[in-house]
Amino acid sequence: GTRYFRKMLDTFNDISLALAAYNAGPTTVIRNGRKIPAIKETQNYVKKVKFYFTMFERNGGVFTDCEKDNRQAISFYRSGEIKKAVGEFKKVIRMSPQYAPAYYNLGYIYSQEGEYSRAIDMYKRAIKIDPYLKAAYYNLAITLERRGLLEMAIATWSAYISYETDADKIAEVRKYIDELRDYISSNGL
C-alpha cells in the first residue's frame, strides 16, 4: 500500500491526485485530464484521507492512549459494565476532546439506555469533529426518530447518504426517507 501510494505521489506530484489515483487507478485520473474524477467514492476518499491527515497533524499524532482507553471502554460495555464504560469514555474525552470515536461510543450507550437527548448531543459532537464518521449520522438519525424528530432525522439520513458509497445502502436509505416523508404527510405532522 505505502509503496504504491509513493509511486502515485511521484507520478502526479500532487497529494490529491495521488490519493485519487490510489483509489480509482492512475489511468482514470489521467483520462480525466489529471483531475480528480467525478466518482463519488473517489472524491469522498480524497477528502476523507486529507481530513484525517490534518486531524492527525493537529493532534500531534497522539491518539494512541485514547485508542487504548477507548477499546477498554468498549470492552467494559460488551461485558455489561455500563457505568464503567461511560466513565472510561468520559475519561477519553477529557484526555483528548478531539477524539470523535469516544463521543460516538458514548452516544451509542446513551441511545441504548434510552437517554436520547444525551445520545443526540454526543453524536452531534462526534460529527462536528469528524464529518466522515458515517455511523454517527446513521445512529443519530435513528435516535432522532426515536425522539419523534422526524424532519431532523430525514436531514440526518440525507447527510449520511452524502458520505455513503455503497449503492445498495444509499437506495435503502432513500426508500426509507420517502417512507418517513409519507408518514409525516399522512399523519399531518
Side-chain angles (χ1 to χ4, degrees):
T2 55
R3 286 186 190 136
Y4 182 69
F5 179 70
R6 178 79 244 171
K7 182 178 177 184
M8 295 302 99
L9 195 54
D10 291 343
T11 300
F12 292 99
N13 293 317
D14 178 275
I15 189 85
S16 295
L17 294 179
L19 288 166
Y22 185 86
N23 181 264
T27 305
T28 305
V29 173
I30 291 167
R31 284 185 186 156
N32 199 54
R34 291 186 165 265
K35 294 179 184 164
I36 298 171
I39 302 168
K40 181 180 175 182
E41 179 180 345
T42 300
Q43 292 172 342
N44 281 347
Y45 178 80
V46 171
K47 289 177 193 172
K48 185 177 179 178
V49 171
K50 289 177 77 175
F51 170 81
Y52 285 128
F53 181 77
T54 301
M55 184 169 57
F56 187 75
E57 275 188 320
R58 193 177 337 131
N59 289 291
V62 290
F63 279 143
T64 53
D65 287 340
C66 293
E67 291 166 356
K68 182 184 74 149
D69 291 340
N70 191 62
R71 283 192 302 275
Q72 178 65 52
I74 290 168
S75 178
F76 287 144
Y77 176 75
R78 287 182 178 156
S79 67
E81 299 178 81
I82 306 301
K83 286 183 181 180
K84 275 185 168 181
V86 168
E88 195 70 18
F89 284 129
K90 287 180 177 180
K91 174 184 161 190
V92 172
I93 290 169
R94 280 191 308 275
M95 285 173 35
S96 185
Q98 294 301 308
Y99 189 68
Y103 292 97
Y104 167 77
N105 290 323
L106 195 51
Y108 183 83
I109 290 176
Y110 287 146
S111 183
Q112 296 302 306
E113 296 295 308
E115 296 183 49
Y116 300 130
S117 294
R118 284 180 161 181
I120 290 167
D121 180 50
M122 291 297 114
Y123 288 140
K124 285 181 175 180
R125 287 181 186 205
I127 290 167
K128 185 175 181 181
I129 295 166
D130 182 354
Y132 296 98
L133 190 54
K134 291 187 296 188
Y137 291 98
Y138 187 93
N139 285 305
L140 174 59
I142 291 170
T143 305
L144 289 166
E145 285 181 46
R146 289 178 179 161
R147 287 291 313 271
L149 302 169
L150 303 182
E151 293 291 344
M152 290 175 69
I154 289 171
T156 305
W157 282 121
S158 297
Y160 169 80
I161 287 173
S162 71
Y163 294 104
E164 182 56 69
T165 56
D166 182 311
D168 291 336
K169 288 181 183 176
I170 291 169
E172 183 181 318
V173 170
R174 283 190 175 136
K175 181 181 175 194
Y176 189 63
I177 288 171
D178 290 341
E179 289 172 2
L180 276 175
R181 285 187 175 130
D182 288 344
Y183 178 81
I184 290 168
S185 166
S186 66
N187 289 292
L189 301 175

